[in-house]
Structure formats: structure tokens, C-alpha cells
Amino acid sequence: MLTGVVAGPVFTSPAVGSILAAIRAVREVGAVGILLIVKNYTGDRLNFGLALEQARAEGATVEMVVIGEDSAFTTLKKAGRRGLCGTVLIHKVAGALAEKGAGLNEIVRKVLAVAGAMGTLGVSLSPCSVPGSRPTFQLADDELELGLGIHGEAGVRRMKITTADKIVKTMLDHMTNPSSASHVTLRPGTSVVLMVNNLGGLSYLELSIVAGSAVRCLESRGIHIARALVGSFMTALEMAGVSLTLLRVDDELLNLIDSETTAIAWSQPTKVPVSGQRRERIGPKECPEEEEQCFPAGVQFSPQMRLVLDSVCNTLLSLQEKLNDLDRAAGDGDCGSTHARAARAIQEWLTATPAPVDPSKLLCVLAKLLLEKMGGSSGALYGLFLTAAAQPLRLDNDLAAWSVAMDAGIEAMMRYGGAAPGDRTMLDSLCAAAEELRALKNPKANLMQILDKAVERAEAAAESTRNMKAAAGRASYISSAHLEEPDPGAVAAAAILRAVLEGLQAKAE
Ligand SMILES: *[C@@H]1O[C@H](CO)[C@@H](O)[C@H](O)[C@H]1NC(C)=O
């Protein structure tokens, strides 16, 4: 793309001497003609202009193009359009033309035409600061700055923060508004290269969200996006912002933009599939067919089961903060939120769908729900537990079968989760309860008495995790000196069992 680059101090034009040194260096390696590509800032125009004159005096063949594709200003007074990220496209086109053997004058003529067919506009959520100095401007938390330059200078307009779609629409409206002196002319059917440029502080996630908004917005106006470039092409230190560049293209120009380069900072443009051939949003289907079969029409949900599930959900929601606190000491602090997410998913499902009476089907549906919505390792482990527990209940539904189901669930959790009782995980609570529940296999068993004991054992086991060394799960990464609280997963499992008991004790209205 480029043969040489001259860097000045941060945000400052390089000195004439540096530019001259670069020109001489490029000449020495055999350049027959040299093109200076300069962004339109006074200091740059002066220093590069002076260097050009001196180099010519030394006999060099040198030309200069000044790029100003800034679309921020609606009226152009003394301050002309600044050179922004679109300049990188000029580097690419000029480099490709030179590589193809075009002469210096032809390159100048062509890149000036390209420069006239583009516009750039930036937006930012933050200023930036030159190392060691204060931020270049002030911006409130809920504001963004539109139309800024690449040296930390403030923009032309300040807006309240809003969604990416709305911000991008405002930007594109501004850039293409025919009454603005610096607009890019776009008509339905126009082909463009879209450049989405990180001003420094954005993640790829955020950059891609902006790129998606820009693609949708342009296509809705009938613009054809021939290529999209997304990346960090021209940054302003750590500025948390993005600029959009639009360049009108024909096939010849596209060819130059597509041509190969070894420049490492250039990322190959993406061909954007036209909207009809693109699946806009891929997500879980609202109501998978398989699940339908799980709910034979007309089957009523046992009122007692409903009380049990309500009780479990309410318990988990009320414990959210406590579990998060416990988890903050041992893990990433999201245990309560994960369980609350499961509770909300179950509540939503209970209001939307008639649930099955068949316990095996109920567990299988709950498993699917948790696997889909709960997330985290708890989601996977509870999903495994319920899936395995559902199996013994397909054949029998007596009390003994529930004990077998509990053991089957725990066995699956241990097999895939890699933990055992004593490892400071939810298994400690579940295994303690399971031992008591085996009494259900006695034909004269009293469900409520046994369950009561099982819950007490589970709660004691959860409490005892306080003194355990973590061998699996979240806390095993933490030095045990920092573990003084019980394991949140074990506490949650015990609380779920207590909630099941209370749900069974509750009287249906
Ligand atoms: C560069 O800026 C000056 C004003 O500083 C303006 O007169 C000129 O037209 C601009 N050039 C380009 C190429 O935009």
C-alpha cells in the first residue's frame, strides 16, 4: 500500500526534516515518482508542502494530494474538510494503482476523483487524552459527540445517548443530507464501500453492532454495500467511538480495493450478502415441535405441582442477592443471578403453557428449559440432573421411583461434572438428601417425614461446606484461605429442596 510513513509526535504534524528524510529514503530504494498523501490539517499541509519543495529542488519527482473527506460540517467556512479514515482507502487505491504500473500523474488524477466520492463521520462516547494530559474535551455519561476529528478535537453536535440503530441512522442522515456542504451523494442503487472504523476504545462486539446497524440502515435506503471493512484503521488513542466512511464505487475501483496487499494493518474487505440471502437473526425457535409432544393437549397441571414450582421459583428469586454475595467470595458473583434467571424462565413458562401432569415429562421439560435459559455450569448440571432423573419416572411414579430418580440425577451430575461429595459443591447438599430419601423405598414410608429429614440433612451439608476445601467447581481456583462462607451452589440446592417441601405442604386454593 505505502512505501513510507512519517510519524510526528502524538497529534502533531511531523517536522519538515522528518518528511524530507522519508522522501530521500524512498528515493534511495529506487522510487521513480513519489506521491505524498496528506490529510487536510494546516500543519500537515505546511510541513509536507515545504518538504515537497525542497525534495523537488533536490531533483525528486514528487506530487502531493490533500485529502479532506470529513462530512461533519454542514457549511464550509474557513476551516475546510479534514482528512479522516477515508484517507486509508486512498492509500489502498494509490498503492494498487502504482503496483499496476500507473504513472504518477494518472494516480494523482484518479485518487482525487476517489477522494471526491467519499465522506466520513465519527461519533464517540468519550474523549481521549494525550498521554500525560487531561482529556481533550468533557462529555457527560449520557452524552455522545458527533462529527469529531482524529486528534481528540470535539465534534459538531452533542446528543443524548440512544441505541446503536438510532445513532447510526443520525450519522447516515447527516452524511448524506444534500443540504449539507460536505455530504456524500447516495441514490437508491448506488454501490458503496462501507468502512466501520474503531476510534480506539471499542471492542469487536461493539464495532460489529454498529456495522450491523449501518448495513441494515443503508440497505433499507436501497444502497448496495459492495464491500464492508470493519476494524481499527485510524484511531484516536483510547477514544470510545467509531467512524463510518462511505465511498461510491464502480467495478474498476472495487478491483483496486480488493487487490492484494501485504500491509498487516489492512484487513480484507467483507462481501456483504444482500439482505434477501442473509438470515437476519438466528435463535431458538419459539416453540419447538418436539416440545408440543411433551404437552398432550388438554392435560391439566396438577395443582400441587404448581405450588411446588411456585415455591421453588419464589425462593430462588428471594435468594438472588445472598447467593451472589456468597459467590463473590468464591467465584464470579453470578450464582444468584443464574438461579434467578432459571426461576424467571420457569415462571414465564408456567404462565404461557399448560404443563404436563406426568412427572417424567415435567422433569424433561424443565431440563430443556434450564439448558436453554439458565446458562452457566449450574444450568448444564441441573439440566443433566433433571434429564437423568426423568428416566426412572417414565416407568413408575411411586415414592420409591422418586428416590431412584434422585440417585440417577446425582449420578449423571457426578459423571459429567467431575465432582464428588466433599468437594464443596451443590452435590454435598444433594447427596445428603438422597441418603435420607432412600427410606422412600420402604413400602410404609411417610413422604413428608422423610422429606423433612432430607431437607434438614441437605441444609446441614450446605452449612458444612464452609469448612471444606474446594476440589471442583468455581471455588477450586481460589486459595482456600479466602473461603469462609458456605458454597453458594450447595446453599441453593438445599434451598430448592426446602422449597419443594414447603410447596408440598401448601394447600392448593
Ligand atoms: C482543506 O482545508 C482548507 C481550509 O483549511 C480548505 O480551503 C480546502 O478546501 C480543504 N481541502 C480539501 C481537499 O478538502
Side-chain angles (χ1 to χ4, degrees), residues 40 42 45 66-68 78-81:
N40 198 20
T42 312
R45 282 199 317 265
V66 178
I67 308 301
K78 246 200 118 114
R81 300 176 74 181

Side-chain angles (χ1 to χ4, degrees), residues 226-302:
R227 298 288 184 276
L229 294 124
V230 183
S232 304
F233 295 97
M234 192 177 283
T235 55
L237 299 172
E238 84 285 21
M239 193 177 262
V242 64
S243 70
L244 297 178
T245 298
L246 295 172
L247 165 65
R248 287 195 307 271
V249 284
D250 55 18
D251 287 344
E252 188 194 340
L253 187 48
L254 262 189
N255 240 317
L256 296 170
I257 287 177
D258 281 342
S259 64
E260 274 191 26
T261 171
T262 51
I264 45 167
W266 178 259
S267 46
Q268 270 308 312
T270 316
K271 291 178 185 155
V272 183
V274 283
S275 52
Q277 293 159 10
R278 198 168 61 223
R279 286 189 61 182
E280 274 299 325
R281 284 208 168 77
I282 302 169
K285 277 190 282 177
E286 281 304 306
C287 190
E289 302 210 345
E290 218 184 320
E291 216 163 292
E292 289 302 2
Q293 295 163 5
C294 259
F295 304 109
V299 166
Q300 281 306 300
F301 195 41
S302 136

Side-chain angles (χ1 to χ4, degrees), residues 38-42 45 65-70 76-83 112 115:
V38 178
K39 293 184 272 311
N40 198 20
Y41 296 91
T42 312
R45 282 199 317 265
V65 289
V66 178
I67 308 301
E69 23 76 74
D70 187 357
L76 291 178
K77 303 195 186 97
K78 246 200 118 114
R81 300 176 74 181
R82 297 167 293 193
L112 286 178

Side-chain angles (χ1 to χ4, degrees), residues 318-400:
S318 72
L319 283 177
Q320 177 166 353
E321 275 320 304
K322 182 184 164 193
L323 293 175
N324 277 344
D325 282 345
L326 288 178
D327 195 21
R328 257 189 286 279
D332 47 8
D334 67 350
C335 179
S337 307
T338 307
H339 282 80
R341 195 157 51 237
R344 278 192 298 271
I346 294 172
Q347 284 180 332
E348 229 169 75
W349 167 73
L350 281 173
T351 53
T353 339
V357 265
D358 181 303
S360 165
K361 279 179 188 154
L362 175 65
L363 295 195
C364 112
V365 173
L366 285 175
K368 264 194 196 167
L369 200 63
L370 296 189
L371 287 173
E372 204 171 282
K373 305 269 169 79
M374 187 174 180
S377 41
S378 335
L381 289 167
Y382 276 114
L384 272 168
F385 177 90
L386 291 168
T387 307
Q391 303 315 313
L393 293 170
R394 277 167 60 182
L395 311 170
D396 282 308
N397 185 13
D398 54 14
L399 290 182

